[in-house]
Amino acid sequence: MAQNKKKLKAQQLVQHLRSTFEGSATTQELQDVVRIAEEINLRKIESLRLYVPTLYQDEAHKCAVTNRIVSGGNQCGKSLWAAVEVARAALGRDPYDKYRKPEVESDFIIFIVGYDQKHVGRRLHRYLFRAGAFDIIRDLKTQEWRAYDPLKDKKLAHLRKPAPPLIPPRMIKSIAWANKAAKVFDSVTLHNGAEIFAFPSKGEPPQGDQVDLYWIDEDIEYDDWVDEAHQRLSKRSGFFIWSALPKSKNTALIDMMELAETEEKAKNPNCVAYRWSFLDNPHIAAEEKAKRVKELSARGQEYLRLRIYGDPQANHWLMYPEFSIDTHGIDRDELPKRGIPHDWCRYKITDPGRTRAGVLLAALPPPDSKFAKKYGNCIVVYGEVILKDCNAAKYASAVKRKCGDDIFWEWIIDEHGGRIRDMGPRSKPVKWYYADELKKKGMLSQSIGANFVPGCDDIEARVEAVASWLTIRPDGTTKLRVLRGALPEFQREIRKYRKKVDQRTGLVMDRPQYGRMQELMNCLEYLAARNPRYHPPVRKSRKPKSWAARRMEEKKKRREENREPGHIVLN
C-alpha cells in the first residue's frame, strides 16, 4: 500500500512538472528530477542526521578512549548510544573522527556480540537495520523533520513516526543470514567496504580477524569474549564498547568497570566507564519516573537499584564475598618449619573432568599443637593441581608429583563426575580408574584405602559450610586458612565465583552459577560439607631386610672402600 501511494505521488509530481515545463524537458528527464528530489528528501531524514543525543550520551560519544563501558538502568539510552557509534563508524560519519574512514580497497571490520541468536535478531538487527531506533516528527514551524521529544511534543504524539534505519538500505551491498525469518544475520557488507559481523556469545569467540570496532550489548555467556576482543583490536588500534544492564553471568563486565575505576584519575586512561540512571533520561516525565520507582520498590531495594540505577553490586553477586587473602591467608613462615608437618591430617579433594580437572589439598594440625593453640581449630588449604585434557594416568602422575609420599586420611571426589562411565558393556566409573592409577603409584588413603569418599550433593549445605569457615570468630581467627602464594588458581576462582542470577528478572539467588573453571571451588565446598576431623597419620614401618640382603650391602660397601683411585672392578 505504501509503495503504491509513493508511486502515485511520483506520477502526479511528474505530470505537474510536465505542465509547468511543457516542451523544455522530456518525460525521462522529469522522472530523473523526481527521483533525485525524492533521494534528497530521504537523505535529509536519515537517522544519523536527525539523531540528538542527551548530554550524557554526547559525553560518551566524544570520548576517544580505547575501552568505553556504558552501564545503567532501563531506558536510559545505552544500546541506542552504542548502535549510533557502530553506524557512525561503519558509514564514516563520526563527527569526532575517532575511527578511520571505511574504504573499498581496505576492509573496515566491526564485530557485534549479543547474548544469543534471539538477541542478535530482535535487538541488534532492529537497532541498526530497521526503522524505529528513535522517533521523528515534522516541525510545525519549519516543516522539517526532527527528533521527537516526548516532553515537548506530548500533544503531537499522534504525528510522530519511526526514524529510518541507522544504516540506510541504500548503503547495504549484501546480507548473509543465519536465520532470515528471525532477522538473525551473520554479516552485512556495505558499499563503502565496511563489514559488520554478528555473533551470539553462547558460541566460541572468533579468532584471527583484525577488527576496528567491537561492540558487546548486554550480557555474555563467557568472559572469554572480552579477552579475545582485545586481541582482535590490537593490530588496528581499534575500539571496544560495551553497553549493558549489569546483571552479569560472569565477572567480565565487573572487571572492566574495576579497571576503569583504577584509571579514573590517569592522564591517558585505557578504559572509561559511564553509569547512567533511568532517572537521568530527560525524555521521560517526572510523574512516569516516580511511578516506575514505586512499582520497582515493591520488588525490593536490590531489584530497584539494578533496574533504576544500574548498580552492579559486585560483592552482592560474589558467592563468598567474605573471603580476603589478608584475613584468611597464612604465610609459609607461620607454618612449622615452613611446611605441612608429617603429623598433620591431610585430605585430597578431586573434581574430575576430561577437559579440566581440579585437585585441592588441605590439612588439619593436631589439636594440641602450638599452631592449633595460636590459630584455633582451623584447616589449611596448601596446594592445588589443575589438569587440562585429563585422564586417569595423567591425574595420578600429577598428584604423585605434587604429594610425593604424603599420607592422606581421605580422598573426596565429586560423585556426579566420578560416576561417569566410558562407552562399552564392561566400562567402569571414572573414579575407579583414578583410584586404580593412584594405587599403582603406591598411594592409598588411610580411611578406606584405594577408594574415594563421595562429596555432598546438597548444594545449600555445601555453601553454608564454606560460609561458616569464612566467618571471623570472636578471637579474630577463621576456620579456613589459605597458604599465600601457593594457590593462584584458587584465589582467581573464588574472586570470580558468582551467585546464580535469574536472567529474566535479574534477581540474585543464594546458590552458585555453575560454569567453567571453578573446579577448586567445588572441591572447597565438598571439603567443608565433609566437616573433616583430625586423625593422626600412621606411617607404615619398612620391613626389616633379610640376612642375605644385609650381607650383599656389607660386601658392596667393603668393595667400595678397598677400591684404588683410577681403577675399576670388572665382573
Side-chain angles (χ1 to χ4, degrees):
M1 181 66 74
Q3 285 292 103
N4 291 337
K5 286 184 178 179
K6 187 176 178 182
K7 187 175 181 181
L8 180 61
K9 189 175 181 179
Q11 290 173 350
Q12 291 173 345
L13 184 57
V14 169
Q15 290 175 359
H16 173 72
L17 291 172
R18 184 183 295 137
S19 62
T20 305
F21 301 101
E22 186 174 358
S24 61
T26 65
T27 300
Q28 182 62 46
E29 289 173 337
L30 294 175
Q31 289 176 344
D32 290 342
V33 170
V34 171
R35 280 196 294 270
I36 292 171
E38 288 178 341
E39 184 63 29
I40 290 173
N41 287 331
L42 286 175
R43 296 194 184 193
K44 279 184 179 179
I45 64 169
E46 285 182 349
S47 289
L48 289 185
R49 298 180 189 275
L50 302 181
Y51 168 69
V52 179
T54 62
L55 292 176
Y56 57 80
Q57 283 176 322
D58 198 43
E59 181 187 358
H61 283 309
K62 290 177 182 177
C63 180
V65 173
T66 301
N67 299 282
R68 284 170 289 167
I69 313 300
V70 171
S71 65
N74 293 115
Q75 299 181 44
C76 59
K78 306 180 299 294
S79 295
L80 175 60
W81 167 83
V84 169
E85 280 289 303
V86 170
R88 285 175 171 178
L91 299 175
R93 296 186 192 173
D94 181 39
Y96 305 109
D97 292 324
K98 299 188 295 291
Y99 311 101
R100 68 182 183 90
K101 301 292 183 182
E103 298 176 0
V104 177
E105 293 78 13
S106 60
D107 58 351
F108 186 93
I109 295 179
I110 299 173
F111 279 6
I112 59 178
V113 180
Y115 180 68
D116 54 17
Q117 285 198 334
K118 287 182 180 179
H119 191 116
V120 172
R122 292 180 182 176
R123 192 177 182 92
L124 302 183
H125 182 273
R126 176 169 59 83
Y127 263 111
L128 293 173
F129 304 109
R130 281 185 268 172
F134 56 94
D135 289 336
I136 58 175
I137 192 171
R138 191 185 289 275
D139 192 279
L140 294 180
K141 292 182 180 179
T142 64
Q143 291 300 305
E144 297 291 336
W145 289 95
R146 60 173 173 79
Y148 171 75
D149 188 325
L151 298 182
K152 295 179 180 178
D153 303 322
K154 187 176 182 179
K155 295 181 180 180
L156 303 174
H158 61 287
L159 298 176
R160 64 181 176 177
K161 61 176 283 187
L166 290 174
I167 297 179
R170 66 182 178 85
M171 293 298 299
I172 298 174
K173 182 178 181 181
S174 63
I175 300 180
W177 296 101
N179 185 341
K180 189 172 183 179
K183 304 297 183 184
V184 180
F185 67 98
D186 283 331
S187 65
V188 175
T189 304
L190 306 185
H191 286 292
N192 65 355
E195 292 181 279
I196 302 172
F197 295 86
F199 304 93
S201 72
K202 290 192 173 184
E204 290 295 324
Q207 299 179 355
D209 297 287
Q210 302 303 321
V211 181
D212 293 277
L213 176 61
Y214 213 113
W215 171 30
I216 296 178
D217 187 54
E218 300 297 352
D219 214 346
I220 52 175
E221 183 73 12
Y222 305 118
D223 54 10
D224 298 358
W225 282 90
V226 178
D227 298 332
E228 193 61 40
H230 290 129
Q231 297 298 320
R232 301 302 109 225
L233 294 165
S234 56
K235 187 173 182 180
R236 296 189 179 185
S237 300
F239 290 84
F240 176 88
I241 59 176
W242 193 343
S243 54
L245 177 74
K247 55 176 184 178
S248 295
K249 289 172 67 68
N250 52 64
T251 61
L253 179 60
I254 302 300
D255 289 345
M256 292 292 291
M257 294 172 73
E258 288 177 352
L259 174 63
E261 188 175 342
T262 60
E263 298 187 351
E264 190 173 1
K265 296 182 180 180
K267 188 175 181 180
N268 296 305
N270 186 46
C271 184
V272 172
Y274 299 92
R275 188 179 300 171
W276 300 340
S277 168
F278 166 76
L279 302 179
D280 294 334
N281 192 332
H283 300 307
I284 299 177
E287 56 269 21
E288 284 297 320
K289 292 177 181 177
K291 181 181 176 182
R292 185 67 174 156
V293 169
K294 186 176 180 181
E295 291 172 351
L296 293 174
S297 297
R299 303 187 66 173
Q301 289 298 307
E302 168 194 322
Y303 195 74
L304 175 70
R305 289 196 300 270
L306 175 67
R307 293 291 175 176
I308 298 296
Y309 303 103
D311 185 359
Q313 299 174 286
N315 285 342
H316 184 68
W317 288 345
L318 288 176
M319 198 67 238
Y320 302 118
E322 307 91 345
F323 177 81
S324 167
I325 194 63
D326 294 328
T327 303
H328 300 91
I330 188 167
D331 292 323
R332 190 172 291 278
D333 291 336
E334 299 176 71
L335 295 174
K337 298 182 180 179
R338 304 189 77 250
I340 303 298
H342 293 303
D343 61 344
W344 285 33
C345 180
R346 301 172 190 252
Y347 287 79
K348 175 170 66 69
I349 312 92
T350 300
D351 186 18
R354 181 71 182 88
T355 304
R356 181 180 158 102
V359 180
L360 198 65
L361 306 176
L364 283 81
D368 57 350
S369 64
K370 291 182 179 179
F371 186 90
K373 290 177 181 177
K374 180 178 180 181
Y375 294 100
N377 177 26
C378 68
I379 184 166
V380 177
V381 177
Y382 67 91
E384 66 181 22
V385 179
I386 291 293
L387 297 164
K388 297 179 180 179
D389 300 321
C390 183
N391 55 41
K394 187 175 180 180
Y395 164 83
S397 297
V399 171
K400 181 65 177 178
R401 283 196 303 272
K402 183 74 175 179
C403 303
D405 295 327
D406 292 340
I407 298 173
F408 289 86
W409 170 253
E410 213 165 55
W411 300 342
I412 305 171
I413 195 169
D414 169 19
E415 185 65 7
H416 290 288
R419 284 201 305 260
I420 296 174
R421 296 171 179 264
D422 294 330
M423 298 294 289
R426 296 184 179 180
S427 64
K428 296 179 180 179
V430 168
K431 64 179 182 180
W432 186 92
Y433 293 107
Y434 277 34
D436 187 56
E437 288 294 332
L438 288 173
K439 187 177 180 181
K440 292 177 182 178
K441 300 287 184 183
M443 300 186 72
L444 298 171
S445 69
Q446 276 190 272
S447 60
I448 52 175
N451 286 292
F452 286 95
V453 174
C456 176
D457 275 344
D458 189 334
I459 297 173
E460 284 75 15
R462 299 202 309 253
V463 169
E464 188 61 34
V466 174
S468 68
W469 278 17
L470 295 172
T471 302
I472 300 176
R473 296 178 288 209
D475 61 355
T477 64
T478 59
K479 173 81 172 181
L480 179 68
R481 290 286 178 170
V482 177
L483 183 58
R484 288 193 183 98
L487 296 100
E489 187 64 19
F490 177 92
Q491 289 184 234
R492 188 200 67 80
E493 285 189 20
I494 200 167
R495 187 176 65 87
K496 294 193 172 188
Y497 197 38
R498 319 285 288 179
K499 292 180 180 178
K500 188 173 184 179
V501 179
D502 188 315
Q503 292 302 304
R504 185 175 58 85
T505 64
L507 292 176
V508 181
M509 306 169 70
D510 289 326
R511 60 187 299 149
Q513 175 67 56
Y514 289 114
R516 301 184 297 178
M517 294 190 289
Q518 55 189 42
E519 292 78 13
L520 299 180
M521 291 301 97
N522 297 336
C523 291
L524 177 65
E525 290 175 354
Y526 289 131
L527 176 65
R530 185 65 181 168
N531 191 22
R533 304 294 179 90
Y534 177 80
H535 300 272
V538 179
R539 283 195 174 273
K540 294 182 180 180
S541 58
R542 296 181 180 179
K543 289 184 179 181
K545 295 181 180 180
S546 65
W547 175 87
R550 292 199 304 273
R551 178 67 177 167
M552 289 296 293
E553 285 185 1
E554 292 173 0
K555 187 176 180 181
K556 184 178 180 180
K557 186 177 180 180
R558 286 198 302 271
R559 185 183 300 164
E560 293 292 334
E561 292 173 351
N562 295 332
R563 181 182 300 171
E564 296 182 15
H567 290 72
I568 59 173
V569 178
L570 299 176
N571 196 21

